Amino acid sequence: MESGGGPLVVVPADVLTRWEGADSEGPESDYDRACAVAGYAGLLAVGPSHALVLGDEPSSTAFLPEHEVFVRWVAAESEAELLGSVEAALADAAWEDGQVWDVPGPVVLFDSAWPGSEVEPDNHARVDLAAGRYEVRTALAQPNAETAFQLVRMVRLR
């Protein structure tokens, strides 16, 4: 998933239409709130739920369901090189403890400037997370001098 320049956001599908993006009424739009998130990830209220903001840089992002991790491209010679480094990086990462996110079910990844009611097939990705509580952990991986990527891992809490 790509961004037009701002952060990407992961919104629960059941509150997707409540995300107003840059079109919000009032003094601060949802996009403004997303841009104010410091660090690699943060949570913002959306109706009765929360959205996960993937902050720091507007990096190309993919979700790898087998590891329940968002991978955010910082630098790499190729996509294959980056993705080939993920498994080792997951084992070696210096994880930062994160926030607890109550996920009601599937979520949608898209550019935070878009209103959730206007997501289209080519500007979002559906992520089938199981409902539950997750700790969101983040890390920066640098497996070699030419490759770096951010990891935002969803750790299911029991």
Side-chain angles (χ1 to χ4, degrees):
M1 185 56 42
E2 300 280 334
S3 164
L8 293 171
V9 66
V10 185
V11 178
D14 65 350
V15 294
L16 184 60
T17 58
R18 290 182 172 220
W19 183 266
E20 296 178 344
D23 296 340
S24 300
E25 299 284 328
E28 186 177 52
S29 70
D30 287 340
Y31 175 74
D32 293 332
R33 295 186 314 130
C35 288
V37 168
Y40 297 141
L43 297 175
L44 293 178
V46 180
S49 194
H50 287 85
L52 176 66
V53 177
L54 302 177
D56 191 39
E57 297 183 21
S59 304
S60 297
T61 301
F63 183 75
L64 304 181
E66 66 273 21
H67 300 295
E68 292 194 317
V69 66
F70 291 95
V71 179
R72 311 198 67 221
W73 185 319
V74 174
E77 291 292 322
S78 69
E79 183 176 308
E81 178 185 346
L82 186 148
L83 293 175
S85 303
V86 169
E87 195 158 337
L90 290 169
D92 296 336
W95 295 100
E96 295 179 18
D97 291 336
Q99 301 174 52
V100 174
W101 186 24
D102 290 312
V103 177
V107 295
V108 180
L109 169 67
F110 60 101
D111 188 323
S112 61
W114 280 89
S117 61
E118 295 181 17
V119 294
E120 299 169 357
D122 63 342
N123 72 0
H124 77 282
R126 182 180 167 95
V127 176
D128 289 321
L129 281 180
R133 294 185 69 136
Y134 293 84
E135 181 179 9
V136 180
R137 295 183 181 165
T138 61
L140 178 63
Q142 295 179 295
N144 60 52
E146 292 83 33
T147 306
F149 48 92
Q150 296 169 6
L151 298 166
V152 180
R153 192 168 204 181
M154 308 298 298
V155 178
R156 183 94 187 246
L157 300 174
R158 307 240 177 243

